[in-house]
Amino acid sequence: MESVRDVRLLPKAHLHLHFTGSMRPSTLLELADKYGVHLPEALSSGEPPQLRATDERGWFRFQRLYDIARSCLRSPEDIRRLVLEAAEEDVRDGSGWLEIQVDPTSYAPRLGGLIPALEIILDAVETASRDTGVGIRVLVAANRMKHPLDARTLARLAVRFADRGVVGFGLSNDERRGLARDFDRAFEIAREGGLLAAPHGGELSGPSSVRDCLDDLHAARIGHGVRAAEDPRLLAKLAARGVTCEVCPSSNVALGVYDKPADVPLRTLFEAGVPMALGADDPLLFGSRLAAQYELARDHHGFTDAELAELARQSVRASAAPADVRERLLTDIDGWLAAPAGPAAGAPAVG
């Protein structure tokens, strides 16, 4: 068998990780016990829940599980723990840069309001980054199930905290609901404030949702975007514009977008020249973290170490990391690839 390098040691950036979804299952159990929250078996069994969100009932069940998990985050201490543990998991998987996505309105009722909630989150990010050595920033995400005026409020708040660690603005939840163009003003506010536009599209909905993100929201990155593989002209457009798709293979399979890992169109996007940043999305519910996405690309799509290194470079280039951090990570990726293949080959991503 051909020797391969350890993908956990491949330096990379993690650009698609949701806040509550980053939680360790063991932490969820402890917090649920602390607050007397009854967890359904899907969250307490120790195994990833069986999910399928390709219909409304399936999406509702997924969202309900997520909401139950989020209800266990009630104090600044809980927030600090979650962010620190997410950073620790990323360091183990070779991430030197993490952009974590959060809708602060979801936590505001228990944390003293919208602004205090975001301040608590950003303080936790700053502390975790200092303690672990991984660079961490925040994408504030609006919920497309809510009114577009709420998104404008969030965009203004995100811009206000651009100097405190907010680097981007997103749009999450069921992309089959609402029109991207309804949120164009919110994204305009975010872009004018210097934030990167990274809405979700092209997972549960087809190529048209990716096109809407490009044309109506002027996205610099697309959360997921895999369904663009069904439209060669759209692939060419993404490649020409250098728009990165934040592809989350394990999530795609868990939610029923594709039946098995080999069906996720990683090769189609890669060979079309569409930049990709592999992400774990919601490890709490999908059962795998960042390095596992690179393993999936290797095991099910035949990506060589050189191609995995290029995926890692694409993640770094698409990030909001400062120039010196990007250059260090890119140099370390070259070092990983130059090292002899073997079970312990490579170089740590952070130091």
Side-chain angles (χ1 to χ4, degrees), residues 241-255:
R241 293 190 182 183
V243 174
T244 296
C245 289
E246 304 161 1
V247 179
C248 307
S250 294
S251 165
N252 296 159
V253 176
L255 292 179

Side-chain angles (χ1 to χ4, degrees), residues 316-341:
V316 172
R317 295 185 192 117
S319 75
D324 61 327
V325 175
R326 290 193 197 194
E327 288 305 313
R328 176 172 59 81
L329 286 171
L330 292 171
T331 298
D332 288 348
I333 291 168
D334 292 341
W336 178 85
L337 191 58

Side-chain angles (χ1 to χ4, degrees), residues 52-60 62 144-145 172-179 200-206 209 227 255 257:
R52 192 168 186 88
T54 51
D55 57 46
E56 286 204 14
R57 182 177 179 183
W59 178 262
F60 177 81
F62 165 72
R144 70 188 307 147
M145 306 285 280
S172 58
N173 212 302
D174 189 348
E175 68 205 53
R176 295 165 296 193
R177 305 289 290 273
L179 300 173
H200 282 51
E203 185 190 29
L204 299 173
S205 290
S209 67
R227 300 287 296 280
L255 292 179
V257 179

Side-chain angles (χ1 to χ4, degrees), residues 160-216:
R160 176 176 169 182
F161 283 88
D163 62 345
R164 287 275 309 276
V166 176
V167 295
F169 188 70
L171 182 65
S172 58
N173 212 302
D174 189 348
E175 68 205 53
R176 295 165 296 193
R177 305 289 290 273
L179 300 173
R181 65 174 175 265
D182 291 340
F183 299 90
D184 57 355
R185 178 56 187 147
F187 276 83
E188 185 180 11
I189 292 167
R191 290 194 314 275
E192 288 175 349
L195 300 183
L196 181 147
H200 282 51
E203 185 190 29
L204 299 173
S205 290
S208 63
S209 67
V210 176
R211 196 175 294 107
D212 290 346
C213 287
L214 291 176
D215 296 342
D216 297 331

Side-chain angles (χ1 to χ4, degrees), residues 21-351:
S22 72
M23 200 186 322
R24 290 172 178 164
S26 57
T27 297
L28 175 61
L29 293 176
E30 290 180 25
L31 292 177
D33 182 65
K34 174 182 175 181
Y35 293 118
V37 175
H38 172 71
L39 296 178
E41 186 179 355
L43 291 175
S44 62
S45 67
E47 296 293 327
Q50 295 297 310
L51 299 166
R52 192 168 186 88
T54 51
D55 57 46
E56 286 204 14
R57 182 177 179 183
W59 178 262
F60 177 81
R61 179 171 179 267
F62 165 72
Q63 193 62 52
R64 178 175 170 271
L65 293 175
Y66 198 95
D67 291 343
I68 292 170
R70 183 166 49 211
S71 74
C72 295
L73 295 166
R74 302 189 179 190
S75 72
E77 178 188 13
D78 301 336
I79 299 297
R80 287 191 293 270
R81 177 179 179 178
L82 178 138
V83 176
L84 177 61
E85 291 178 353
E88 290 171 344
E89 295 289 350
D90 255 39
V91 169
R92 287 193 191 99
D93 276 6
S95 172
W97 183 264
L98 167 62
E99 295 177 15
I100 194 164
Q101 188 164 155
V102 64
D103 177 358
T105 59
S106 302
Y107 307 89
R110 291 192 172 96
L111 296 177
L114 188 55
I115 292 174
L118 186 54
E119 289 178 329
I120 288 166
I121 290 166
L122 292 173
D123 285 345
V125 162
E126 184 179 6
T127 300
S129 183
R130 183 180 65 243
D131 291 349
T132 63
V134 62
I136 313 174
R137 297 295 185 271
V138 170
L139 273 83
V140 170
N143 185 343
R144 70 188 307 147
M145 306 285 280
K146 296 182 179 178
H147 196 281
L149 288 176
D150 293 337
R152 296 183 196 182
T153 298
L154 271 184
R156 294 187 181 96
L157 180 67
V159 168
R160 176 176 169 182
F161 283 88
D163 62 345
R164 287 275 309 276
V166 176
V167 295
F169 188 70
L171 182 65
S172 58
N173 212 302
D174 189 348
E175 68 205 53
R176 295 165 296 193
R177 305 289 290 273
L179 300 173
R181 65 174 175 265
D182 291 340
F183 299 90
D184 57 355
R185 178 56 187 147
F187 276 83
E188 185 180 11
I189 292 167
R191 290 194 314 275
E192 288 175 349
L195 300 183
L196 181 147
H200 282 51
E203 185 190 29
L204 299 173
S205 290
S208 63
S209 67
V210 176
R211 196 175 294 107
D212 290 346
C213 287
L214 291 176
D215 296 342
D216 297 331
L217 305 181
H218 304 283
R221 294 198 321 240
I222 303 288
H224 299 294
V226 284
R227 300 287 296 280
E230 300 164 20
D231 184 339
R233 292 179 64 184
L234 179 57
L235 286 177
K237 188 174 184 177
L238 289 167
R241 293 190 182 183
V243 174
T244 296
C245 289
E246 304 161 1
V247 179
C248 307
S250 294
S251 165
N252 296 159
V253 176
L255 292 179
V257 179
Y258 300 105
D259 289 336
K260 55 186 185 297
D263 294 338
V264 181
L266 294 181
R267 274 279 166 206
T268 302
L269 272 69
F270 188 75
E271 292 176 1
V274 177
M276 284 187 285
L278 299 187
D281 204 3
D282 296 292
L284 174 66
L285 294 173
F286 304 139
S288 62
R289 293 191 178 269
L290 182 58
Q293 314 309 312
Y294 285 79
E295 292 281 9
L296 186 150
R298 170 188 278 162
D299 295 342
H300 296 277
H301 297 273
F303 276 68
T304 64
D305 283 359
E307 290 173 326
L308 293 175
E310 178 55 25
L311 286 178
R313 291 188 195 100
Q314 290 175 2
S315 73
V316 172
R317 295 185 192 117
S319 75
D324 61 327
V325 175
R326 290 193 197 194
E327 288 305 313
R328 176 172 59 81
L329 286 171
L330 292 171
T331 298
D332 288 348
I333 291 168
D334 292 341
W336 178 85
L337 191 58
V350 295

